[in-house]
Amino acid sequence: MSTALIRPQARLLVPALLFIALVVAAVASLGTPLITSVATTFHVSLDSAQWTLTIALLSGAVATPVLGRLGAGPHRRTTILATLAIVVVGSALTVLPLPFTWLLVGRAAQGVGLGLTALMMGVARDHLPEESGATTIALISVVSIIGAGVGYPLAALLAEFGGLRAAYGLGLLVTALAFVTAWRSMPAAPQGRTARVNVAGALVLTGGLLLALLLAGERGLWSRHLALAVALAITAVLLLCGWTVSELRTKNPLVDVRAVRHPAVAGANIAMFVGGSGMYLLLTLITRYAQTPRDAGYGFGLTTFAAGLVLIPFSVLGFVAGKLTPRVRARIDGPLLLAGSAAIVGGGFVLFATARSSVAELLAAMGVLGFGVGSFSAAMPGVILAVTPKSETSSAMSFNYVVRSVGYSLGSAIGGLVLAAGTAAGRLFPDDDAYTTAALVGVVAMAITTMAGLALARRPEAPSITAPTGVRGPGRSGRTGS
């Protein structure tokens, strides 16, 4: 039985899905431009203020696989509304005049909303016509990336003229609107779906992810407490390996690991991990370079708001690429699109490495990055969902999001380590050459991603994945792209 909505309903559902995906991404990224304001307002160190960003990313990565499994079951609408309610409450905590600890609690609650991106894709695949669903899924993937580019300058502007609470007040407003939008527009899941959450597996995965992301984000831990960092890394590996074994044995897996081992899915996730680390590396390099004061011998000393405006080409060209990719997908296979997109991002690295003497050149590099990230993000769902049952859409894409989160954290850590290594003793800022070195590391990462995409394209088409035990859904495959 078809679950596609009639045309007027479908037209209303598409902007709702895109709006919700954009809101949760933008709100989670609010911590980036507000770190300095948090430090001064709450009288904490910059390292402590950094946790307003880190804790949102951590909670999002942990919540995503759980929400993905819940989204594969019959209570998807309830899951979406409950999650948005948590985000709204968290947004309220960031606005109220409460101690710093409550701000972190609120930011963690806001980060939970990042897990909704995969559920929005599941709704689109279940309730929209095939061609419209494929285009919408691609755009959801794109807006979940460019949301940071939208939220960054707005939050910085509000913080500059209205203070920290005004910036977080924007988050409360848009998340409340997202909740109302979901309440009015989200349809119920198709009948016949079942999905149980493996609580023990969720706890083990949570521990492993928390340690992995903590180790990737806390660079000082490796330099000041190397033995502890190594011990935590070993613990994280053991937890994730133990989780993988338990997922293979259980009848109700949190993530269908057998599906993840499918060549197309595994190849796409490897490309996402390596490519994501490179993409986030360039994003952080450009924004940091733009804000470096001129007396360091380079940089432009831009304010937080002005640096946020540098992200506009990233957002605009990313959205343009996202709109174009589904059309190109009709003529070019998804893996080739991934390879081409990675090569474009690599070109952005080359541009940054060789030409960054003016703000215009930074804008150009950011635009190239945005176009590459937009096309990469839009092509990724098609590669995975081409061999994934409809009932497993949310779960499959949630795992991809976790891989992306870890890749982003790794990219941020690599950038910090390279720049720290290029900082002379007694100096606050790294040498200009350190940025070139970091850019060359990014070129290597994107070259690996390009080769992974080409290798995936050369593989013969494999059969679709069958739905895991305990999950039933209408349809086992169905391409979302061509």
Side-chain angles (χ1 to χ4, degrees):
M1 178 178 176
S2 173
T3 59
L5 301 178
I6 60 177
R7 190 177 298 273
Q9 291 174 306
R11 282 201 299 265
L12 293 174
L13 181 61
V14 170
L17 295 173
L18 294 177
F19 176 67
I20 293 170
L22 180 63
V23 165
V24 295
V27 168
S29 71
L30 281 178
T32 306
L34 303 179
I35 291 173
T36 301
S37 297
V38 168
T40 55
T41 301
F42 288 90
H43 306 290
V44 297
S45 67
L46 285 174
D47 286 342
S48 297
Q50 177 73 29
W51 272 97
T52 58
L53 174 63
T54 304
I55 200 167
L57 298 177
L58 285 173
S59 64
V62 169
T64 292
V66 176
L67 293 179
R69 174 51 60 211
L70 291 173
H75 305 297
R76 182 170 60 201
R77 173 180 163 84
T78 302
T79 301
I80 292 171
L81 292 175
T83 303
L84 282 172
I86 292 172
V87 176
V88 172
V89 171
S91 299
L93 290 177
T94 65
V95 176
L96 295 174
L98 298 171
F100 179 66
T101 301
W102 284 104
L103 175 64
L104 292 181
V105 172
R107 290 291 296 150
Q110 287 180 325
V112 171
L114 291 171
L116 290 177
T117 302
L119 273 67
M120 297 301 102
M121 294 181 181
V123 172
R125 198 179 186 199
D126 280 334
H127 299 286
L128 295 176
E130 184 175 356
E131 183 176 352
S132 174
T135 302
T136 303
I137 288 172
L139 287 177
I140 290 172
S141 182
V142 172
V143 299
S144 70
I145 299 291
I146 67 174
V150 174
Y152 195 119
L154 287 176
L157 178 63
L158 287 172
E160 188 170 331
F161 293 101
L164 181 67
R165 302 298 181 184
Y168 280 130
L170 172 66
L172 176 59
L173 174 62
V174 295
T175 52
L177 289 174
F179 178 84
V180 173
T181 300
W183 180 274
R184 295 178 60 87
S185 63
M186 287 300 109
Q191 296 181 353
R193 297 272 178 90
T194 61
R196 298 177 180 176
V197 175
N198 180 1
V199 177
L203 292 175
V204 174
L205 178 62
T206 296
L209 286 176
L210 281 174
L211 288 177
L213 292 172
L214 177 65
L215 289 169
E218 291 295 307
R219 296 183 295 271
L221 188 63
W222 291 94
S223 59
R224 294 192 294 267
H225 307 285
L226 180 60
L228 175 61
V230 171
L232 292 177
I234 293 174
T235 303
V237 170
L238 292 176
L239 285 173
L240 293 175
C241 289
W243 171 79
T244 302
V245 173
S246 68
E247 289 291 285
L248 288 171
R249 294 178 176 177
T250 183
K251 293 182 178 180
N252 302 298
L254 189 65
V255 174
D256 186 12
V257 178
R258 291 184 177 84
V260 173
R261 294 188 305 179
H262 187 284
V265 179
N269 282 315
I270 291 173
M272 184 76 262
F273 176 73
V274 181
S277 64
M279 295 169 191
Y280 202 79
L281 170 61
L282 183 54
L283 187 68
T284 55
L285 288 178
I286 295 176
T287 53
R288 181 166 170 174
Y289 194 92
Q291 294 181 78
T292 301
R294 293 182 180 276
D295 56 16
Y298 61 91
F300 304 99
L302 300 184
T303 64
T304 302
F305 173 60
L309 295 179
V310 174
L311 288 170
I312 290 179
F314 174 84
S315 298
V316 172
L317 289 179
F319 187 78
V320 169
K323 292 284 287 185
L324 293 176
T325 298
R327 302 177 186 177
V328 179
R329 177 79 168 83
R331 298 175 177 83
I332 302 176
D333 287 340
L336 285 178
L337 274 177
L338 292 181
S341 302
I344 291 174
V345 175
F349 272 109
V350 172
L351 182 59
F352 177 73
T354 58
R356 53 176 186 268
S357 59
S358 69
V359 175
E361 291 172 339
L362 293 187
L363 292 173
M366 191 66 89
V368 173
L369 172 65
F371 193 88
V373 169
S375 57
F376 189 91
S377 302
M380 178 61 69
V383 176
I384 294 175
L385 299 184
V387 294
T388 302
K390 278 190 175 183
S391 60
E392 285 295 286
T393 298
S394 297
S395 182
M397 294 312 302
S398 68
F399 183 81
N400 184 256
Y401 169 78
V402 172
V403 170
R404 186 177 81 183
S405 297
V406 176
Y408 283 2
S409 298
L410 180 62
S412 176
I414 290 174
L417 289 172
V418 174
L419 295 182
T423 304
R427 293 198 59 183
L428 181 61
F429 300 100
D431 297 333
D432 189 29
D433 290 342
Y435 282 91
T436 303
T437 302
L440 294 178
V441 172
V443 170
V444 173
M446 300 321 299
I448 294 173
T449 307
T450 302
M451 291 186 289
L454 293 175
L456 192 59
R458 286 195 294 266
R459 293 187 64 90
E461 186 171 346
S464 300
I465 307 162
T466 55
T469 303
V471 179
R472 299 186 303 273
R476 288 188 170 187
S477 61
R479 289 189 175 275
T480 63
S482 55

